Amino acid sequence: MRVTGSADFVDADGKLIETKTDFKLCGCGRSKEKPFCDGSHKEIVN
């Protein structure tokens, strides 16, 4: 999933961890950078 614009990532207490801009979230579950996409889905063979 591609996210455009800015998004704040916060912990369970509401403390800001990071703000990211224009990024992709992993949908296949193979990313080593979860929850972000690292392109690992390209290696999936049908």
Side-chain angles (χ1 to χ4, degrees):
M1 176 186 323
R2 182 176 177 202
V3 178
T4 57
S6 295
D8 292 336
F9 291 83
V10 296
D11 65 14
D13 296 321
K15 181 180 174 186
L16 180 65
I17 298 171
E18 180 179 10
T19 299
K20 291 186 77 76
T21 304
D22 299 329
F23 57 94
K24 295 177 184 174
L25 294 172
C26 176
C28 73
R30 292 184 176 247
S31 176
K32 294 175 184 71
E33 304 288 328
K34 290 178 193 148
F36 307 106
C37 177
D38 68 359
S40 293
H41 60 274
K42 295 175 186 175
E43 298 173 11
I44 299 173
V45 179
N46 292 327

